[in-house]
Amino acid sequence: MFRWFEDLNAVQEQLNQVYEEAYGRKPQGRAREQGVASWMPPVEVWENESSIYLSFDLPGLTIQEIDLQIEGEQLIIKGERKAPEEKRNYRRREKLYGNFYRAFNITTPVDREKVAASYRNGMLEVMLPKSEAVKPKQIKISVEE
């Protein structure tokens, strides 16, 4: 009978791992109550002919709590959202606290000197301008008579 519970716990651990890999955070429950849950800020990524853009939802953070850098061929964002220090008698707790980390492979050459980022109202906007070498170029066709 106890073996059945051990198997059930093993399955639960595997499901927790799948959930964490898919959503970037630990599932709700004891881990979160103990303040060890990690999370990943949601992001939107889009591009046009001249740049690649990323927009992150980071409400409640200050700019000092966010670290943004290009390392090798990756854009890395990391930081920490700290839980309130005061003890509270929660009836419901859905905000995620703890460390976050995201890395994005940059497969298109970008002009690193012109990368720009701005933070306003909990939104971090990052612009990665494409290198001139990869931007579309119109080729003029001459007509020979």
Side-chain angles (χ1 to χ4, degrees):
M1 172 137 183
F2 290 109
R3 178 73 180 139
W4 184 81
F5 284 113
E6 290 175 11
D7 291 343
L8 186 59
N9 283 337
V11 168
Q12 181 64 51
E13 288 299 316
Q14 289 175 344
L15 288 173
N16 285 348
Q17 184 175 356
V18 168
Y19 183 93
E20 188 171 357
E21 288 172 4
Y23 297 104
R25 59 185 165 107
K26 294 182 181 179
Q28 311 298 320
R30 277 180 276 159
R32 177 142 171 234
E33 291 168 9
Q34 295 169 355
V36 296
S38 62
W39 60 287
M40 287 192 328
V43 65
E44 291 182 337
V45 181
W46 69 97
E47 69 179 298
N48 60 24
E49 288 182 0
S50 63
S51 298
I52 300 168
Y53 300 90
L54 297 95
S55 177
F56 297 92
D57 287 343
L58 296 167
L61 293 174
T62 65
I63 195 69
Q64 293 79 16
E65 295 169 316
I66 304 167
D67 181 21
L68 180 68
Q69 57 187 288
I70 294 180
E71 189 174 300
E73 300 301 315
Q74 289 189 323
L75 176 74
I76 298 171
I77 180 171
K78 59 186 173 180
E80 180 181 7
R81 179 184 294 145
K82 294 183 169 102
E85 291 182 15
E86 66 184 73
K87 297 291 181 192
R88 297 178 177 174
N89 185 19
Y90 289 102
R91 293 182 177 251
R92 186 174 186 99
R93 189 173 183 189
E94 294 183 357
K95 290 182 180 179
L96 299 174
Y97 299 99
N99 295 322
F100 64 89
Y101 176 91
R102 297 208 65 179
F104 299 87
N105 290 329
I106 303 171
T107 58
T108 302
V110 298
D111 186 345
R112 291 174 183 239
E113 299 303 315
K114 294 182 181 175
V115 172
S118 63
Y119 186 66
R120 182 175 177 219
N121 296 330
M123 298 290 295
L124 177 66
E125 303 280 339
V126 181
M127 181 194 65
L128 303 168
K130 294 179 182 177
S131 223
E132 290 296 323
V134 296
K135 290 182 183 176
K137 181 178 179 179
Q138 186 68 38
I139 300 171
K140 184 177 179 182
I141 302 171
S142 63
V143 178
E144 294 185 23
E145 294 181 32

